[in-house]
Amino acid sequence: MVPPRMDWRRIAYHTLVSRALDDVEETTNRNRAHVPKDHLVLYQFSARGHDMAQAILGSFIDHPHDAAGAYYRSRPLLLSLGLEIEDALGSPLGRAGGFSDGRDIGVVCNLPTRQGPKVLPMSGDVGSQYTPVAGWAQSIQYHRDVLGDASWRGAMAVALGGDGSVATNGFWSALTMATTLKLPVLFYIEDNNLGISVRGEMQTPGANIARNLASFGNLFIRDGDGTDPAQAASLIKACVDHVRAGEGPALVRLTVPRLSSHSGPDNQKGYRTDEEIAEDFKRDPLPRLRDFLVPAHLGITEWEALEREVARDVAAGLEGARARPAPDPVTILRHRYAEADAPDDQALGGLTAAERRALGGTTEPSEGGEMVRFQEAIRRTLRRELEVNPRLVVFGEDVGVKGGVHLVTEGLQKQFGPGRVFDTSLSEEGIIGRASGMAIAGLVPVAEIQFRKYADPATEQLNNTGTMRWRTANRFCAPMVVRMPGGFGKDVGDPWHSLSAEVLWAHAIGWQLAIPSNAADAVGLLRAAMRSPNPTIFFEHRSLLMTSDGSAHYPGDDYIVPLGVGATLREGTELTLVSWGAMVHRCADALAMTDVSVEFIDLRSIAPWDKARVLDSVKKTGRCLIVHEDTKTAGFGAEIGAVLAQEAFWHLDAPVERLCVDDVPMPYHPVLLDAVLPSPAQIAARIDALVRM
């Protein structure tokens, strides 16, 4: 049965436009020697065969708070949601403007529509679109039920993916979230039975994900032919109606042909027979759409007029796209982070600048605060921000009823409810991807990864979050805080729970990284992170969580420590000592063992880091010792040493020294742990030796 009130002319227009764009790009990609260099499409993906069903899907995505997460073969959907033809062609040509300003692959699109459906920033990796979509869907529930915003009622999130993507971590994590939480998500799976060259039988048993998921609870499933206009429309509508009615998630699988190679550089004849390719062309949905519409819905003259309209529009779009200049290389370093001189709130995501300012804050600690341990300081700060910012949410594995494995979130769910402080399924990909979608939807996620090592499965989502503002040319951002305990524990270590490896996040473009050494700094840095327009890794050292070493006077409910500002804990003239995290306390103990006049700096954050403070100190003392827990090779101490060698070389009276863990995993037994960690005695001895040089 064909759904009523379908705008078939609009569907046909976008299908024809998509097909025409593919025609242009397939004949002007970089494999075509005859094409002028400035007309070359640098990297090309065709949606040929997937186009009609996506245009139908787009006609159902019409709520102001709908959002879609898509992938590199999803341009027909974007066209149906408002992507301009000139942008659709300009970006594959690598031209200025558009959805990435020449920074990303041309069909890795986004659409930050303010008053209508959005398309979340795509990524070039497979399957990473799913968990941010689940995060957006959970945000729909949050805006509607917790914040009481009725305008979000009936909204849905849509995740588009191919049959290859259903084998990924992201798909299964998002599916788990959607079904356990009954999220308003539509999974749209277009199955062409190929993942580049790998057949569907290798992606999912039996090559039919819909059939395999039949036993899943809370999942409405439809399966059919994506080349049949009436059937595709009927199946999509059934799923959309289910999701919008608040009945939970749905999945529709539509079989479609891939009428092209995987991408421009690919040659499918290396892995497909001519007969197989010919069979796919017999299933081309465009002739079927024409036969369906003419003459029942459109007259032949109207169809021909539509084809001429599409030809004119695509020609005009191509002319405009080719006339655009190349991106300006002077701007390439912009938008890695939020910029003070950028238009206010240009990027979609997080709090507005005005909302952040309204939260206030002071860099002056209050007087007379009681002594608190590191763990309690973090809990108090989370509690205060939950009180003053209704859009802040705290979540992760075990953070709710249990209160976290280190009990940092103990009692917060009881006070603020499971809508704001909640447990998640055990998937770090899901935790961070969910946070990304929530942040784009205007929430402030504070996600916990139980231990630093456990962040490894989430690396893809963490990287995509960090680069989001840059690769969308400041159209999207995802400010969040990721709390990440790590480092050696009290009298114990191991390769899994005691990893620090913080230098990875110093190297992760777009992320800030805070590593407090005491309770007061933890308060100020965590509050700064939760009010920042940039994503932040908040590294909580296990030793400080498990002992009283980091205890300090509580600095107040409004205290902020700006990221990138270190602290000079002691002034001196003979040597500069630089450290961060739990090593600060070992360094402090070492200073009691030496008579050297040491200037002692706690960096507090290493992305950004207080380069000016360290340089000024070393220019005064002439010597520097860097102490950290991360392993020596390519640890962050090497970056500091390189900067000092370049910018303070003529002020140095001795080589810059590093004292850190040798290149070995953190061991379990206390005797072995003591053998690898820098001790106060070793630090003091190295200080004395440096001064004697």
Side-chain angles (χ1 to χ4, degrees):
M1 180 178 176
V2 180
R5 297 185 297 278
M6 295 285 291
D7 188 346
W8 286 106
R9 187 186 189 281
R10 178 173 177 265
I11 290 167
Y13 174 84
H14 290 122
T15 303
L16 287 166
V17 168
S18 177
R19 191 63 64 94
L21 300 186
D22 288 337
D23 288 341
V24 168
E25 293 177 352
E26 287 172 15
T27 55
T28 58
N29 67 47
R30 65 193 318 162
N31 294 333
R32 309 285 180 165
H34 67 280
V35 179
K37 186 175 181 181
D38 63 341
H39 287 185
L40 280 175
V41 172
L42 302 178
Y43 206 76
Q44 178 263 329
F45 288 91
S46 174
R48 190 183 298 275
H50 294 228
D51 33 26
M52 182 198 72
Q54 283 188 34
I56 293 172
L57 173 65
S59 69
F60 289 100
I61 303 176
D62 55 6
H63 190 288
H65 295 303
D66 283 350
Y71 73 117
Y72 49 79
R73 225 176 290 286
S74 300
R75 188 168 59 186
L77 176 81
L78 276 93
L79 290 166
S80 71
L81 296 180
L83 177 65
E84 298 290 340
I85 294 174
E86 186 176 313
D87 275 349
L89 286 168
S91 294
L93 287 165
R95 297 296 203 269
F99 37 76
S100 79
D101 200 25
R103 297 172 179 218
D104 208 342
I105 301 171
V107 290
V108 176
C109 313
N110 60 76
L111 205 61
T113 312
R114 294 285 175 170
Q115 303 302 322
K118 289 90 176 146
V119 178
L120 306 183
M122 298 182 193
S123 301
D125 34 51
V126 177
S128 63
Q129 68 269 34
Y130 290 108
T131 53
V133 167
W136 184 279
Q138 191 168 357
S139 298
I140 291 172
Q141 293 181 334
Y142 190 89
H143 281 284
R144 182 192 68 204
D145 300 336
V146 178
L147 298 179
D149 188 343
S151 72
W152 288 75
R153 193 174 304 279
M156 70 173 179
V158 183
L160 285 79
D163 52 291
S165 71
V166 303
T168 64
N169 182 7
F171 173 78
W172 290 98
S173 178
L175 191 66
T176 298
M177 284 189 274
T179 52
T180 57
L181 300 175
K182 293 190 71 175
L183 297 178
V185 177
L186 170 59
F187 294 91
Y188 174 90
I189 306 302
E190 44 191 21
D191 190 341
N192 61 27
N193 196 38
L194 284 168
I196 304 184
S197 66
V198 178
R199 305 289 175 167
E201 293 83 358
M202 294 297 292
Q203 310 294 351
T204 192
N208 187 331
I209 191 64
R211 186 168 57 230
N212 291 357
L213 293 174
S215 64
F216 254 61
N218 296 332
L219 185 64
F220 181 83
I221 299 174
R222 289 292 181 267
D223 187 9
D225 185 354
T227 71
D228 181 330
Q231 185 180 147
S234 178
L235 296 178
I236 292 170
K237 184 179 186 301
C239 290
V240 169
D241 289 348
H242 178 88
V243 174
R244 292 209 191 279
E247 299 297 323
L251 181 145
V252 59
R253 170 185 174 263
L254 297 177
T255 55
V256 295
R258 197 186 78 189
L259 306 179
S260 63
S261 293
H262 167 72
S263 63
D266 176 44
N267 182 1
Q268 64 179 332
K269 291 193 174 183
Y271 50 87
R272 301 182 77 192
T273 66
D274 290 340
E275 291 75 16
E276 288 171 335
I277 295 172
E279 283 300 312
D280 258 1
F281 272 94
K282 291 179 183 178
R283 299 174 57 229
D284 187 344
L286 185 54
R288 296 192 69 176
L289 178 63
R290 184 185 185 280
D291 292 344
F292 171 75
L293 293 182
V294 179
H297 298 273
L298 298 175
I300 184 62
T301 56
E302 191 174 359
W303 177 270
E304 291 171 348
L306 182 61
E307 289 180 320
R308 290 192 296 271
E309 178 186 346
V310 167
R312 287 194 303 268
D313 291 350
V314 171
L318 181 59
E319 182 180 3
R322 286 176 172 171
R324 288 183 177 184
D328 184 355
V330 172
T331 68
I332 192 60
L333 297 181
R334 295 199 62 195
H335 307 312
R336 292 170 295 172
Y337 298 92
E339 298 172 355
D341 60 345
D344 191 30
D345 305 321
Q346 178 179 333
L348 184 68
L351 302 178
T352 67
E355 288 167 337
R356 293 195 301 273
R357 287 193 296 268
L359 291 170
T362 176
T363 57
E364 295 297 324
S366 59
E367 298 291 334
E370 63 182 299
M371 189 68 73
V372 294
R373 289 168 62 123
F374 191 81
Q375 171 201 72
E376 173 62 20
I378 297 171
R379 183 187 303 119
R380 283 198 190 187
T381 308
L382 291 171
R383 180 183 294 120
R384 175 62 176 172
E385 292 302 298
L386 283 162
E387 290 171 347
V388 301
N389 184 359
R391 284 198 266 160
L392 189 132
V393 289
V394 176
F395 56 89
E397 175 75 9
D398 294 317
V399 306
V401 176
K402 178 178 173 60
V405 293
H406 295 100
L407 301 182
V408 171
T409 57
E410 187 178 29
L412 295 183
Q413 186 182 83
K414 185 176 182 180
Q415 181 176 353
F416 296 99
R420 300 196 64 197
V421 181
F422 53 88
D423 292 320
T424 67
S425 49
L426 208 168
S427 167
E428 287 76 21
E429 149 92 23
I431 291 170
I432 302 303
R434 174 198 323 236
S436 180
M438 286 181 154
I440 297 171
L443 302 185
V444 180
V446 181
E448 178 182 304
I449 300 293
Q450 278 190 349
F451 296 95
R452 158 65 190 88
K453 181 68 175 66
Y454 296 176
D456 290 355
T459 299
E460 190 170 77
Q461 290 296 338
L462 288 160
N463 287 341
N464 292 348
T465 296
T467 61
M468 184 182 297
R469 187 187 293 272
W470 179 87
R471 59 191 167 85
T472 66
N474 206 36
R475 289 158 63 102
F476 281 91
C477 63
M480 66 175 73
V481 178
V482 180
R483 296 179 41 246
M484 194 180 292
F488 69 91
K490 180 185 178 183
D491 302 325
V492 68
D494 69 72
W496 316 111
H497 302 85
S498 302
L499 183 70
S500 55
E502 69 271 11
V503 72
L504 176 64
W505 310 117
H507 192 68
I509 295 166
W511 281 94
Q512 301 171 148
L513 173 58
I515 311 182
S517 67
N518 61 79
D521 285 348
V523 170
L525 289 167
L526 180 56
R527 179 165 289 109
M530 289 188 286
R531 299 181 181 185
S532 173
N534 301 306
T536 306
I537 301 291
F538 186 78
F539 195 95
E540 301 170 8
H541 201 284
R542 288 182 66 213
S543 177
L544 303 181
L545 290 169
M546 299 169 72
T547 69
S548 61
D549 286 353
S551 298
H553 291 284
Y554 184 67
D557 285 340
D558 297 309
Y559 183 56
I560 288 176
V561 173
L563 281 89
V565 178
T568 302
L569 305 183
R570 170 171 157 173
E571 294 189 353
T573 59
E574 295 180 279
L575 179 141
T576 299
L577 177 62
V578 180
S579 192
W580 53 89
M583 282 293 123
V584 167
H585 300 278
R586 294 195 169 212
C587 288
D589 292 342
L591 294 182
M593 303 177 183
T594 178
D595 294 328
V596 175
S597 178
V598 174
E599 185 141 296
F600 183 20
I601 296 173
D602 177 359
L603 280 186
R604 304 200 287 200
S605 62
I606 64 171
W609 65 287
D610 199 341
K611 181 167 65 173
R613 183 183 299 265
V614 175
L615 281 169
D616 288 346
S617 177
V618 171
K619 288 175 182 178
K620 177 176 65 174
T621 66
R623 293 175 172 82
C624 185
L625 174 62
I626 305 157
V627 179
H628 63 72
E629 183 181 340
D630 199 357
T631 48
K632 186 172 187 178
T633 299
F636 195 69
E639 170 66 17
I640 298 172
V643 169
L644 293 175
Q646 182 176 3
E647 301 186 33
F649 180 79
W650 299 110
H651 298 271
L652 291 172
D653 297 322
V656 176
E657 291 268 3
R658 290 172 292 158
L659 184 57
C660 39
V661 173
D662 286 328
D663 295 339
V664 62
M666 199 61 69
Y668 174 60
H669 195 280
V671 171
L672 300 177
L673 186 67
D674 287 341
V676 299
L677 286 172
S679 69
Q682 289 172 323
I683 298 168
R686 189 68 64 88
I687 289 171
D688 290 339
L690 255 178
V691 170
R692 289 195 299 269
M693 285 186 179

